[in-house]
Amino acid sequence: MADRPRTTSIANKINMNFWLKKLTSYIFIDVFIMGAAFATFMWYCQNHLTQPDNILERYFIRCNTWHIEDICFKVKYIDGTSQVFPAGPALSYFLPAFTCLIIFELLGLLGALFHAGEIRKQLKPLNDLAIRTEQISRGNFSDASISDLEVAINHVNVDNPEVHVKSGNSDLTSIEVALNNLLKKMEESKRQQTRFVSDASHELRTPISVIQGYVNMLDRWGKSDPQVLEEAIEALKNESEHMKELIEQLLFLARGDSGRQNLNMVEMDLNEIVTEVYDESLMIDPDHEYKLVVNEMQPCNFTGDIAMVKQSMRILVQNAAKYSGKGDTIKLSAKRETNGVSYIVQDEGIGMTESDVSHIFERFYRSDVARNSESGGSGLGLSIAKWIVDAHRGSIDVLSREDFGTRFTVHFPNDMK
Ligand SMILES: Nc1ncnc2c1ncn2[C@@H]1O[C@H](COP(=O)(O)OP(=O)(O)OP(=O)(O)O)[C@@H](O)[C@H]1O
Ligand SMILES: [Mg+2]
């Protein structure tokens, strides 16, 4: 195959680099050993001088031949005498060991020259992948393959999750997998959208039915009966308020889904936000004990949208109040973490089962206990809180035990990238 030499040249390059590195390290070791041997010889001569204080000059001479073992170190003294140290005996210990080392190094370098084949073998899967990717990017498919794929795609219908792209052509497997994954995501998103629309219509129909019922009642008997009139007006006020809230929640999520929910990011101190929500809760909810834990000496600075962060906190505090008894304590706190900041809303309320916890962020989800209780709600609060936290690249941890209480911990990272 024409693409094969690619690995060969890469393998050769890798091998050459490896070989040169090896050669450099051997040269370095050899020079070091020779230097050490020379220093040892000089040290020996120095320690065996007969008149170390009367030296006139010192130099290397040849004793017989210019062979390395015939070289001598000569020292001349002031009184005309001299001393000669032959290198031969010292070298007779050093040379054989050094020669062995050189042979070993040469063998190592020679062996390393032939490593390219092994490296090429290791690189083969990478090479195959590169060749395959290039083929796909070049669109190197036969007309028959393309028509197989067209037929398979024509059979697909997003409304029927059973039918997937399957051309039966093994060359197209990777494209089929990618297309089927995309289809799966489209199916899931379509299913979620359909469920959201049907849940939203159902939730909106309920208050409208109640309003219609009271309007009919007023029409028949209310005009003359002040008690019916008062009851109907109260109910109409409540229902229209509920409907307004629901529509606002739906609009928030719709804006979020379509990417039109803008965040106004500014530097803020989470301690201040928690304190504000605490003060406001004290004022509007006399039925619970509120407790605040913040360390004013340690600011919890981070960048976020103040109004949104506050909204997420209010949603959690409202839930804590709604799902706990009169007089129960609700604790709000904020703290700095290694990579960001976090706030906690903790209650002593009804708590949730594990299965409830796994669904509470789904739109319109309400636990059976919440549904059967008097507390109203549409099950959208936590979806909104989650959207806000996700938009800040944060996360929410939930710890809950039935009849014991619930703790929501919301983390915001410092680095939003
Ligand atoms: N602190 C809590 N203690 C116990 N259950 C909770 C708590 N917070 C949330 N839940 C459960 O999670 C469900 C979803 O909460 P969410 O806030 O989304 O909806 P909601 O409170 O029912 O309605 P609303 O849209 O008005 O907020 C609740 O119905 C309840 O079952
Ligand atoms: Mg709620």
Side-chain angles (χ1 to χ4, degrees):
M1 191 185 279
D3 306 88
R4 278 295 157 206
R6 203 178 319 178
T7 42
T8 310
S9 66
I10 295 173
N12 282 340
K13 228 183 232 168
I14 294 175
N15 197 39
M16 205 56 211
N17 279 339
F18 172 69
W19 195 84
L20 281 174
K21 257 189 196 160
K22 218 170 178 172
L23 179 71
T24 319
S25 65
Y26 283 168
I27 290 176
F28 179 77
I29 292 171
D30 294 347
V31 169
F32 178 78
I33 290 175
M34 284 190 320
F38 180 72
T40 314
F41 177 64
M42 293 311 289
W43 174 81
Y44 170 85
C45 299
Q46 186 67 31
N47 281 325
H48 289 81
L49 292 175
T50 47
Q51 301 173 58
D53 299 330
N54 293 324
I55 295 171
L56 183 66
E57 59 180 326
R58 42 184 137 194
Y59 45 86
F60 283 96
I61 52 159
R62 80 185 153 93
C63 295
N64 298 312
T65 65
W66 269 114
H67 285 162
I68 188 158
E69 61 274 16
D70 278 340
I71 289 178
C72 297
F73 180 61
K74 188 168 182 178
V75 182
K76 254 189 185 167
Y77 297 111
I78 295 170
D79 62 4
T81 59
S82 62
Q83 212 178 342
V84 174
F85 297 94
L91 283 173
S92 66
Y93 294 109
F94 172 73
L95 267 183
F98 192 68
T99 315
C100 283
L101 181 71
I102 296 283
I103 291 171
F104 171 79
E105 287 173 352
L106 283 176
L107 287 176
L109 287 175
L110 218 64
L113 264 184
F114 300 105
H115 254 114
E118 183 59 30
I119 296 172
R120 202 162 41 238
K121 220 158 83 192
Q122 302 282 346
L123 285 177
K124 189 176 173 297
L126 265 185
N127 194 44
D128 290 349
L129 188 70
I131 291 169
R132 194 93 194 98
T133 314
E134 208 169 293
Q135 273 179 354
I136 291 174
S137 70
R138 271 197 234 122
N140 246 358
F141 299 114
S142 64
D143 287 350
S145 303
I146 298 295
S147 76
D148 282 351
L149 193 63
E150 274 173 9
V151 171
I153 292 174
N154 278 339
H155 276 101
V156 170
N157 181 355
V158 185
D159 293 328
N160 185 356
E162 301 302 317
V163 183
H164 285 141
V165 181
K166 183 138 186 61
S167 64
N169 187 327
S170 63
D171 283 347
L172 302 173
T173 312
S174 49
I175 295 182
E176 282 173 17
V177 170
L179 281 174
N180 284 330
N181 283 341
L182 183 69
L183 269 175
K184 225 177 182 170
K185 279 190 192 142
M186 282 165 69
E187 280 157 19
E188 177 59 23
S189 134
K190 188 162 185 260
R191 208 168 49 79
Q192 272 180 4
Q193 218 175 26
T194 316
R195 206 179 65 196
F196 183 55
V197 171
S198 97
D199 286 348
S201 329
H202 176 80
E203 288 295 324
L204 281 170
R205 204 181 302 130
T206 314
I208 289 175
S209 307
V210 176
I211 288 172
Q212 267 179 339
Y214 276 102
V215 169
N216 286 340
M217 194 170 88
L218 271 179
D219 195 26
R220 275 187 222 152
W221 306 291
K223 288 172 209 152
S224 49
D225 189 336
Q227 207 186 329
V228 173
L229 193 65
E230 200 172 320
E231 188 194 330
I233 290 174
E234 186 62 28
L236 285 172
K237 250 163 64 183
N238 285 345
E239 285 310 316
S240 53
E241 186 61 32
H242 174 210
M243 219 162 105
K244 187 177 149 229
E245 236 171 69
L246 181 63
I247 289 172
E248 272 167 12
Q249 287 179 319
L250 286 172
L251 281 175
F252 183 102
L253 289 169
R255 276 198 302 272
D257 287 348
S258 62
R260 280 181 295 118
Q261 193 71 265
N262 293 326
L263 296 182
N264 180 20
M265 304 301 264
V266 288
E267 178 82 9
M268 66 168 116
D269 181 359
L270 199 57
N271 280 346
E272 284 172 17
I273 311 282
V274 174
T275 312
E276 279 171 34
V277 173
Y278 165 79
D279 289 341
E280 152 192 318
S281 308
L282 277 184
M283 220 151 48
I284 57 176
D285 177 19
D287 292 340
H288 297 91
E289 286 279 320
Y290 282 90
K291 209 171 137 192
L292 175 72
V293 183
V294 288
N295 182 355
E296 277 159 16
M297 305 302 288
Q298 198 184 55
C300 297
N301 289 335
F302 88 107
T303 309
D305 183 311
I306 297 182
M308 294 260 183
V309 172
K310 222 184 234 180
Q311 192 179 348
S312 74
M313 213 176 286
R314 281 194 196 115
I315 288 170
L316 300 184
V317 173
Q318 276 162 13
N319 279 352
K322 197 153 75 171
Y323 303 112
S324 56
K326 215 173 170 180
D328 282 353
T329 303
I330 296 169
K331 196 170 108 183
L332 276 81
S333 60
K335 68 167 189 286
R336 222 160 54 192
E337 297 182 325
T338 333
N339 296 322
V341 292
S342 70
Y343 76 79
I344 295 176
V345 177
Q346 186 169 335
D347 65 59
E348 303 171 334
I350 58 172
M352 290 173 270
T353 62
E354 241 177 78
S355 133
D356 284 332
V357 172
S358 60
H359 293 291
I360 52 175
F361 295 107
E362 288 170 14
R363 293 175 185 184
F364 296 110
Y365 181 84
R366 301 196 74 208
S367 69
D368 290 341
V369 189
R371 242 171 236 287
N372 296 329
S373 71
E374 297 231 313
S375 66
S378 44
L380 288 177
L382 287 181
S383 311
I384 293 175
K386 177 143 174 26
W387 188 92
I388 294 172
V389 177
D390 285 350
H392 286 80
R393 306 264 183 275
S395 61
I396 308 181
D397 289 339
V398 189
L399 191 67
S400 188
R401 232 169 81 190
E402 273 181 291
D403 301 326
F404 197 80
T406 303
R407 183 165 79 199
F408 281 90
T409 310
V410 179
H411 308 271
F412 292 114
N414 270 337
D415 185 8
M416 281 198 32
K417 271 166 246 144

